[in-house]
Amino acid sequence: MSTANTTNRAYGAITLGTLLPWIIGAIILLVLPILMGSKGQLTIMSQMSIMVVFALAYNMLLGQGGMLSFGHAVYMGMGSFLCLHVMNASYFGSVPLPILPLIGGFFGLGIAMIIGSFSTRSAGTIFAMISLGLGELMAACVLIIVVFFGGEEGISGYRDEGLPFFGLEFISHIEVFYLIAFWLFVSAALMFLFSRTPVGRMANAVRDNPERAQFLGYSARWVRFVSFSASGFFCGIAGGLSAILFEIATESDLNVTASGVILLIVFLGGVGFFWGPIIGAVVFILLQTVLGLQTHLWELYVGVIFVAMVMYFPGGLAGIIMSHAVAMSLGKLGLLVRPYLTCVLPAIIGILGLCGLIEMIFHMREAPTGETEMTLFWTAIDTHHIWAWLVFGVIAAGGILLARQQSSVLKEAWDQANTIDTPAEEPS
Amino acid sequence: MTLALELDDLRKSFGSAEIIRGLNLKVEKGERHAIIGPNGAGKSTMFNLITGRFPQTSGHVRLHGTDLTGLQPFQINRLGLSRSFQITNIFPKMTVFENVRCSLLWSMGFKYSFWNMVSRNRALNEGAEEILEQINLTVRRDLPAGVLSYAEQRALEIGITIAGGADVIMLDEPTAGMSNTETDYIVNLIEKVTENKTLIVVEHDMGVVFGLADRISVLVYGEIIATGTPEEVRSDQKVQEAYLGAALEDH
């Protein structure tokens, strides 16, 4: 980056470079439903969009504010419940549906301001424990305060009873998707802009070093409180969108499991980058819906991926992608193609072989007696035949051994791709 | 002359141990005042009491005549007092530029604003660039502060400390752990950036102290045993006995 010319720097100029990701994002949101327009696909994409809003809002705390919350589904869930009450109210006929998420947002903001007023006193373990306790408390309230939460069956409503919005009644899935996509775009843009405001910048400072921030004139607690409230607002918007899409809210929308899922999503995507949670949410929903249809064990695989990410790639998927930035700026990305093919590809094949073995064991244990056929990787397999076990065993062992053998080559190529070539030293 | 900082019988006990045992000190505006003393004399504790990091047990600290009792560090900072730390205390994951820009935010009146864009304010960004220029870190502008060398991090911390425009600057061992060249560099930097400001500095390096300070206070076992110009302190009998004799022999 240029540093020499400091006097002529144009501050805050909006360039095509800064707008490009947003333009691409908007085009993707506009075009996707045209390419994949079935009811199921639209529902998955709507679900993804809601999760992206929720994940970005969660990362305002975790990634940008350094606050680990174990009960964040509360703010989304509360927004969801409130919006369903609005949908069931007699005045809903005079409320246009597109502004409903905003109502959820302000409710989330209100709840977050009440809880944040005492929970943001400190970050770290104390904050995490308070959030966990409140998450459990709210989940318990669902079954106790039946008037608001509807007990075990939750609250349901109908989105199409709102005031028609320029003739739209939001009965079809594509209309609902575009409504959600609109709010996704607006929320993501606002959250991005928030991170560029003084208080958003100070949230990073407080995350890095709360004490130093205090000696710059900022109360760490106030900075946390503002971030926390803003996060609650966007969680509430996600809740409102969820109410519109599913037309129901239950205990499972705000319990501690739901809070755990969002933590998993954000970590999977990467907390260090603004767009990390977007990848996390998209990948997780894909795993949940696509992999979930293929195998009963999808949660096992997601769990293993999560543990592996936390252990070996704490930067998440975004971190993996961005770790290639140095090699790319040096123009040496090409060096990595071969080792990836000889090391990472066999590793993936080996792991898939291992998954095959796991699936066969599961099938032998769970299938009704006598049924020995199963479909694995689009092939019919007889689990009571030694050949099936041998083939998958060889694939698993071979792939992993090959990857291990090639790992030194990969490491060497990686180091080489990340070092600046120095021309031969001139004699002085 | 008006007093920039005044300590009035300041005391601090941790449990039954009295660490700071009645400090009285007057620092005038524009003065460069050094605090010296052996390890464990309570120099850092004194800093922490003045800046509100710890509450005092009794006594008063006055900044430009305002009593600081019961104020939080961020409130004291807003009154125009800024400090650095003995152990480097910066924002390691943020860029060097961002470190400096954040330290300008409050003094430029942004407070907890979430409706301004930091990148769009010319005065803010130019101010940050100017400070980078002053501490000679312009070439490191876009690097995460955590990857800078030790001396560069110390320089950055001084930049963060002075950025807010506070007129009383407190530096806790700014040259600790530095080579001679680095020490000279930092001392020059301190002289440059604290011009026309009140400076209170804790320092072990006697060369630095006698070169930099207008007046010196000697702190031994939680008490100031002498205050005066470098010559007065150097010739003080009590100081010679308690501390300085041994320290001066090294130089």
Side-chain angles (χ1 to χ4, degrees), chain A residues 1-4 6-14 193-202 204-220 222-223 226, chain B residues 51 53 73-74 77-78 82-85 89-94 98 101-103 105-106 110-120 122 125-126 129 138 141-142 157 160-161:
Chain A
M1 264 177 225
S2 85
T3 51
T6 52
T7 44
N8 290 332
R9 197 184 291 273
Y11 290 109
I14 297 166
L193 291 176
F194 179 86
S195 72
R196 264 70 188 156
T197 63
V199 77
R201 288 286 131 155
M202 285 312 293
N204 291 352
V206 168
R207 170 200 68 197
D208 275 14
N209 194 339
E211 175 153 63
R212 197 54 173 116
Q214 301 253 28
F215 287 99
L216 298 181
Y218 278 88
S219 155
W222 258 105
V223 172
V226 174
Chain B
T51 56
R53 205 180 182 196
F74 59 87
N77 179 270
R78 292 173 198 170
S82 185
R83 70 167 293 180
S84 75
F85 291 78
N89 214 334
I90 53 174
F91 305 109
K93 285 191 221 155
M94 292 164 30
E98 206 62 67
R101 192 162 62 179
C102 275
S103 43
L105 284 173
W106 189 274
F110 285 99
K111 301 195 174 171
Y112 301 99
S113 154
F114 50 85
W115 49 88
N116 292 89
M117 293 289 118
V118 284
S119 63
R120 296 181 70 84
R122 178 169 272 276
N125 289 282
E126 282 178 354
E129 301 280 6
T138 305
R141 186 181 186 277
D142 297 309
E157 180 158 17
I160 294 174
T161 307

Side-chain angles (χ1 to χ4, degrees), chain B residues 216-231:
Chain B
I216 297 174
S217 289
V218 185
L219 189 66
V220 178
Y221 295 119
E223 283 174 304
I224 292 177
I225 60 165
T227 299
T229 62
E231 287 68 38

Side-chain angles (χ1 to χ4, degrees), chain A residues 211 214-215, chain B residues 10 44-56 61 68-77 81 83 170:
Chain A
E211 175 153 63
Q214 301 253 28
F215 287 99
Chain B
L10 187 67
S44 287
T45 308
M46 172 184 163
F47 258 46
N48 290 335
L49 292 178
I50 295 172
T51 56
R53 205 180 182 196
F54 305 152
Q56 69 260 45
V61 179
L68 301 183
T69 309
L71 293 185
Q72 296 279 315
F74 59 87
Q75 294 166 319
I76 293 174
N77 179 270
L81 184 148
R83 70 167 293 180
M170 300 181 63

Side-chain angles (χ1 to χ4, degrees), chain A residues 2 5 39 81 85 110 113 123 148 267 285 292 303 332 356 358 368-369 372 403 412 417-418 425:
Chain A
S2 85
N5 198 350
K39 192 179 149 192
F81 274 105
H85 281 293
M113 283 172 79
F148 186 76
F267 231 98
I285 299 287
K332 296 210 254 181
I358 294 168
T369 35
T372 59
E412 209 170 288
N418 283 291
E425 271 182 42

